[in-house]
Amino acid sequence: MLLKLLAKIIVMLNSNTSSSQVAAGLASGLLFALLPTGNLLWIALFLAVFFTKAHYGMLMLASAGFKLALPLLAGPLDALGWFILSLPALQDAFTWLYNQPIAPLTRFNNTLVMGGLAAGLALWLPAFFAFRALIRLYRRTLADKLANSKFMLSIKKLPLVKALSGAIKSAQRVQSALE
Amino acid sequence: MKKEKTVKLNKLFSKPIKEAHFQKRFLGALEIKKDKEFLDASFESHGGMRTARADLDATALQRINKLAPYIKANRGAVKGAPLVAAGILAAGLTVFSLFFMNPLLEKGIETGLEGIFGARAELDGLKFQPLRFRLAIEALRVADAEKPMTNLFESGKLEFRLNPAALFRGKVYIEEASAASIALGTPRQSSGALPGKETPPVKAAKEKPESPPLIDFARFDAKALLEQEKSKLAVSAAYAQSAKAYDEAAARWEGRVEASTAALQNAQQSSKAVLSLDLNSIRTLDQASKAIGDTKAAISAASAVGNEAAAISSGIATDAEALSELSKATRAAFNKDADYLKALVNPKSGAAMAALEPSLRAMLSDKAELYLDYGIKILDAALKLKASGGAQDATKDKKSLAARGRTVPFPSVGYAAFRLGLLRSDFTVEGSSWAVELKELSSEPELSAGPSALLVSMSRANGFAVKNALEADLRSSSKASYTGKADIERLPIDLGSALADVGLDGFSGSASGSLSLSGEKDGASAGRLALTVREPNVARPAGSIGMAVSSALKKTGSVTLDAAWENAGGNERFSLSTNIDAIVEEALRELASSYAKQASAELEKELRSYVAEELEGSIASKEEFDALFAATKGDKAASDSLKKSLDTKLKDLENKAKALGTSALQGISLPKIGP
């Protein structure tokens, strides 16, 4: 299962899958990792992502990966959320929002939700451009060299890598069948 | 020979493509450099249009076709097929509502109730119907935090109708709720104390108040009554105080008086020689001068002794005055005790009421405290609910912060976080029909239309009815208070053995009237009970007065009672007025007249005997003090007498010296003094 997931990622990185879509998936994964679950805002954003072409696989993977670091970020996110929710200039707006239908169900007045949303949105564009640049750099400079390097050729002979290669081929077949 | 497979070019590439479009949408969609170069090389350009080369073999065509899905997929940023997501969401919601929603809600409500009442809350069979905005609970039990083995309240099936508009704002507004039954104080199988929370100490039962006895004239024993009342007599304490004062005064002066007497004796001894001196034996001026000096020294010593005796006498006189006042107080205490004892055998003095009041006060105070305590508990729960609508403490423990964050409250203009509009319950228990209505319970009372109110009424087929209205207005943040009023009709009462001490064991009747209660969160509370007890009856009257009162109660037919109870800052005040005293007085008038005079005389005699035999002997130092006073007076007189004798002697000696001096000057010619 893990091998197949790894294989799919390698296939995706070495295919023509849009680097923008992969980067959007990664950036969105970061956003979903920072935003606590169990509120309407998370559900709404999750649904919205399904209308985009962001790469879902990378979104899930990035969300799970970044979520591991969340306990370390809880304090700063709480402080950020408290700061935003306490801004005098925004009190009227938040009060109005709080009294609208549906809006309270987003739990926007929770410090972790507000802090996570603010941090996630602020980091989305930088993360998107950074991930896209990295993928493009990999495809342009590293992908071919890595595939044909002596190191990779010797690695490919290892039993584990053979299994991985098989997994990649089966992943490619599945992808072709889907396409 | 193997036949070459025929491959058709994907439709995406079948028509000529504009050069710019080809560059942007086809080549731009590919990110693998060699695929891009291959596609570019596979299409030739004619007049600004790109078409697939005619000489492409099957392999090339296959490779081009494999690129088609990427070119399609990489176009644009949005796609129009979110049905999968919607499907997943619908499936997720279905699974959640089927397996997780009700248990989660059940747990959430239990936690909320436990926070409000500080004890375990248990819900059975919660069922939420989100599309109908209905919530049903099979049973609810909330334990009493102060008595963990007892439920504060327990209800049968509960049904709630929720307000949809509030629900869409994340608020719980129960417009109407109904309960199949409600019961208070039911026993529990397991402890309702929350883990880690200490059970508050059980309030110690109040000691039964002391009350003066009602005398049974038929078996009157003055000595026994005196023995029984001895601890309450003031004369005993007065005598004890006098004895102590005499002891202290005697001890204070004893040493000083002894020293003064000894000094007097010394002075008298040393003066003897001077006083017995024969004037004729003095022949020279030197002898006269020496005798005068000795006499003056003796006078000085006698004066010192006299001054000390005077000072002691004055001090003892002052103490004697104070002791005299104590003696007066002792006599007054005696008179007061005599009056008190006589009052016990004289029902006209209000002794019957004095005997009844402590028992009635204890019984009514207990009841009032019970109901006021329920009022405080309901008020406390409502205030905790109100507090839950406020901000969470920013300094809350870090663990819960990390897990859930903090909720920042913003003012609600329409809906409170929780509001119970109306809870209604009608049920019958053991032949009693109950109707309960709870109105406007809210986490933000300021948004409620009216104060929180609890209306409870109960009636029985025999005409007994109670209507109780409890109201708590929490809309003003400055003052949290409640008021309650109960109308009572034909309430059967049975005081059991509460009045047994006064000979009225098993007092019962049918009460009608009203009870009003009010209280504040700080503990200040007040209650007033106005009752008329009809058909009064004493099941087991005892003693002559008990029998007489029992007959009088039957004859009178009703007892009125007006009790007021107030607790302000821990100071309790209780007042009671009834016609019981008048009934007792009337009943005992004839009975008492034949016994009271003789009983009074016997009591006074016993009291005098007690004082003479047991108390007066306790002042042992009185005689000693009096002797000291007399001795110091004697010392003063003796020292004065001695001084007078010495003064006379001194005068004689001075005359003698004068005479000696005159005779010595005769025959001596004085030298002439002149130029």
Side-chain angles (χ1 to χ4, degrees):
Chain A
M1 189 73 182
L2 197 67
L3 280 176
K4 281 195 174 180
L5 182 67
L6 199 60
K8 279 184 181 177
I9 291 169
I10 292 172
V11 167
M12 182 268 299
L13 284 175
N14 290 290
S15 72
N16 278 300
T17 305
S18 164
S19 56
S20 297
Q21 291 172 7
V22 177
L26 286 166
S28 300
L30 175 64
L31 172 63
F32 283 110
L34 294 174
L35 197 63
T37 53
N39 58 74
L40 201 61
L41 186 66
W42 194 93
I43 296 169
L45 282 174
F46 195 76
L47 282 178
V49 168
F50 272 88
F51 286 88
T52 71
K53 289 191 172 177
H55 197 276
Y56 306 138
M58 289 312 283
L59 187 152
M60 299 291 185
L61 192 73
S63 178
F66 288 125
K67 207 92 182 170
L68 294 175
L70 195 61
L72 298 173
L73 297 172
L77 288 178
D78 174 69
L80 176 64
W82 183 264
F83 170 74
I84 294 169
L85 289 168
S86 306
L87 279 174
L90 296 177
Q91 292 307 297
D92 288 345
F94 284 142
T95 302
W96 177 83
L97 194 62
Y98 187 71
N99 286 285
Q100 300 313 302
I102 307 294
L105 299 177
T106 63
R107 291 181 61 221
F108 75 91
N109 59 329
N110 180 277
T111 51
L112 281 184
V113 174
M114 180 53 80
L117 178 69
L121 289 179
L123 289 173
W124 199 92
L125 275 179
F128 171 78
F129 287 120
F131 286 130
R132 194 174 70 168
L134 284 173
I135 294 164
R136 285 182 177 173
L137 184 71
Y138 167 78
R139 285 176 175 170
R140 200 166 50 241
T141 60
L142 284 177
D144 285 341
K145 287 179 185 172
L146 209 63
N148 298 320
S149 66
K150 284 181 183 175
F151 173 73
M152 279 302 284
L153 291 173
S154 58
I155 287 283
K156 277 179 182 175
K157 290 174 185 172
L158 292 174
L160 177 68
V161 180
K162 278 185 179 174
L164 188 61
S165 176
I168 290 173
K169 282 175 183 168
S170 70
Q172 281 173 328
R173 277 199 298 277
V174 171
Q175 194 169 23
S176 301
L178 287 172
E179 289 159 359
Chain B
M1 187 179 162
K2 193 180 175 184
K3 194 178 176 184
E4 194 174 323
K5 194 179 172 185
T6 311
V7 178
K8 285 180 77 177
L9 192 62
N10 190 297
K11 282 182 182 176
L12 189 69
F13 307 108
S14 58
K15 290 181 181 174
I17 307 158
K18 284 183 182 173
E19 180 63 36
H21 188 69
F22 184 77
Q23 289 293 336
K24 188 178 177 184
R25 300 289 182 194
F26 286 72
L27 294 180
L30 298 177
E31 300 209 355
I32 303 296
K33 194 180 172 187
K34 55 189 178 185
D35 288 342
K36 198 183 272 192
E37 288 170 352
F38 167 72
L39 189 69
D40 192 24
S42 302
F43 283 73
E44 54 194 5
S45 179
H46 292 292
M49 304 294 278
R50 285 287 191 114
T51 50
R53 279 170 40 207
D55 58 346
L56 293 174
D57 59 12
T59 312
L61 288 172
Q62 272 180 341
R63 191 174 170 186
I64 291 172
N65 286 346
K66 276 189 178 178
L67 294 174
Y70 289 106
I71 293 167
K72 281 182 189 171
N74 291 350
R75 281 180 185 170
V78 179
K79 60 185 177 185
L83 287 175
V84 178
I88 290 170
L89 183 71
L93 283 174
T94 306
V95 170
F96 175 77
S97 60
L98 283 177
F99 299 105
F100 300 109
M101 182 178 68
N102 288 337
L104 280 174
L105 273 174
E106 201 169 291
K107 188 70 192 161
I109 294 172
E110 280 178 351
T111 306
L113 289 171
E114 285 174 355
I116 290 170
F117 292 100
R120 196 173 289 283
E122 289 149 355
L123 263 76
D124 295 335
L126 182 143
K127 193 176 174 187
F128 180 45
Q129 297 170 284
L131 297 178
R132 295 181 62 210
F133 298 100
R134 296 281 198 277
L135 181 78
I137 295 168
E138 287 301 321
L140 167 66
R141 290 175 297 281
V142 176
D144 190 336
E146 292 177 5
K147 299 175 206 160
M149 293 308 291
T150 306
N151 285 317
L152 188 63
F153 64 87
E154 182 178 0
S155 82
K157 186 168 184 177
L158 290 160
E159 289 183 326
F160 302 92
R161 179 161 56 82
L162 303 170
N163 181 296
L167 214 56
F168 280 122
R169 286 167 171 81
K171 319 286 185 188
V172 179
Y173 174 17
I174 301 167
E175 289 179 327
E176 194 172 338
S178 64
S181 64
I182 295 173
L184 304 177
T186 53
R188 289 177 59 85
Q189 298 292 323
S190 59
S191 171
L194 292 175
K197 188 165 184 177
E198 283 183 20
T199 306
V202 179
K203 284 180 186 172
K206 283 187 178 175
E207 286 182 10
K208 190 171 170 55
E210 280 194 8
S211 56
L214 272 183
I215 307 304
D216 186 355
F217 288 116
R219 291 180 291 172
F220 180 66
D221 182 345
K223 194 165 187 174
L225 180 59
L226 182 66
E227 282 297 323
Q228 185 185 318
E229 298 298 299
K230 234 177 212 177
S231 61
K232 298 175 198 165
L233 297 181
V235 74
S236 308
Y239 265 94
Q241 195 183 355
S242 281
K244 192 182 172 199
Y246 270 109
D247 287 347
E248 286 171 356
R252 190 160 51 243
W253 296 111
E254 192 175 13
R256 207 167 153 186
V257 170
E258 280 175 10
S260 173
T261 304
L264 176 65
Q265 284 169 354
N266 286 339
Q268 283 171 333
Q269 194 64 37
S270 58
S271 302
K272 268 183 186 173
V274 174
L275 288 171
S276 61
L277 185 70
D278 183 5
L279 291 177
N280 295 327
S281 65
I282 299 171
R283 296 180 185 280
T284 65
L285 276 172
D286 286 341
Q287 286 175 328
S289 178
K290 183 177 178 298
I292 287 170
D294 290 346
T295 307
K296 281 183 177 174
I299 288 172
S300 176
S303 293
V305 170
N307 289 341
E308 171 66 1
I312 293 170
S313 180
S314 169
I316 292 180
T318 307
D319 279 1
E321 275 178 32
L323 291 168
S324 172
E325 289 300 315
L326 280 176
S327 295
K328 280 182 194 168
T330 307
R331 280 195 295 280
F334 174 87
N335 293 334
K336 189 181 164 193
D337 288 345
D339 290 344
Y340 167 71
L341 291 169
K342 286 177 189 172
L344 296 179
V345 293
N346 181 8
K348 290 178 188 173
S349 67
M353 190 59 218
L356 278 170
E357 189 180 326
S359 296
L360 284 172
R361 172 204 291 261
M363 187 179 64
L364 293 173
S365 288
D366 286 350
K367 293 285 180 198
E369 277 176 16
L370 177 73
Y371 294 125
L372 289 167
D373 194 39
Y374 257 105
I376 292 283
K377 272 180 184 164
I378 293 169
L379 182 65
D380 199 36
L383 283 170
K384 277 187 184 166
L385 183 65
K386 183 183 177 184
S388 71
Q392 290 176 35
D393 189 357
T395 59
K396 232 178 164 181
D397 63 289
K398 287 182 178 175
K399 195 176 173 187
S400 76
L401 268 185
R404 299 197 304 268
R406 291 170 289 178
T407 299
V408 179
F410 293 100
S412 285
V413 293
Y415 298 94
F418 174 85
R419 179 180 170 192
L420 173 63
L422 172 67
L423 167 65
R424 194 197 306 269
S425 182
D426 298 291
F427 55 95
T428 303
V429 179
E430 295 173 355
S432 302
S433 299
W434 289 82
V436 179
E437 277 188 16
L438 178 61
K439 291 178 178 173
E440 294 300 346
L441 194 62
S442 172
S443 60
E444 284 147 273
E446 292 82 0
L447 297 173
S448 298
S452 302
L454 175 67
L455 308 167
V456 181
S457 61
M458 190 266 267
S459 61
R460 283 185 194 155
N462 62 5
F464 164 46
V466 173
K467 284 181 186 170
N468 179 22
L470 191 67
E471 200 170 82
D473 197 343
L474 306 180
R475 287 174 294 178
S476 160
S477 58
S478 60
K479 197 173 183 184
S481 60
Y482 71 86
T483 57
K485 189 171 188 307
D487 294 316
I488 301 160
E489 258 182 64
R490 301 186 66 187
L491 168 70
I493 57 165
D494 186 347
L495 303 187
S497 60
L499 303 180
D501 289 352
V502 291
L504 302 175
D505 191 9
F507 183 93
S508 64
S510 170
S512 298
S514 65
L515 169 71
S516 60
L517 304 167
S518 63
E520 291 175 19
K521 180 66 184 73
D522 60 12
S525 50
R528 187 179 182 89
L529 174 69
L531 270 187
T532 300
V533 181
R534 292 195 172 80
E535 299 160 19
N537 181 49
V538 181
R540 294 169 292 280
S544 50
I545 291 185
M547 302 287 275
V549 171
S550 173
S551 304
L553 285 172
K554 276 182 187 163
K555 195 175 163 187
T556 310
S558 71
V559 175
T560 59
L561 188 140
D562 193 341
W565 189 90
E566 192 178 323
N567 182 354
N571 297 321
E572 288 185 23
R573 277 194 298 173
F574 183 87
S575 64
L576 178 70
S577 63
T578 99
N579 64 344
I580 293 175
D581 201 37
I583 292 169
V584 172
E585 188 179 326
E586 182 65 29
L588 299 185
R589 187 166 291 157
E590 285 185 17
L591 178 71
S593 62
S594 59
Y595 287 99
K597 197 173 177 183
Q598 185 188 344
S600 293
E602 283 180 26
L603 270 174
E604 187 165 349
K605 187 183 163 194
E606 283 297 330
L607 183 62
R608 285 188 186 284
S609 169
Y610 163 62
V611 169
E613 291 170 13
E614 296 183 33
L615 301 181
E616 282 183 349
S618 65
I619 312 178
S621 303
K622 186 175 186 307
E623 286 178 12
E624 192 186 341
F625 181 79
D626 291 343
L628 287 172
F629 199 15
T632 195
K633 279 179 183 170
D635 289 352
K636 174 77 171 64
S639 64
D640 287 347
S641 170
L642 178 63
K643 188 170 176 290
K644 195 176 176 185
S645 302
L646 289 167
D647 285 341
T648 307
K649 193 72 178 179
L650 178 64
K651 204 172 179 183
D652 292 346
L653 286 169
E654 284 171 345
N655 288 336
K656 181 70 177 176
K658 209 179 204 178
L660 286 173
T662 307
S663 61
L665 287 172
Q666 279 176 358
I668 297 172
S669 57
L670 294 171
K672 284 183 182 174
I673 302 166

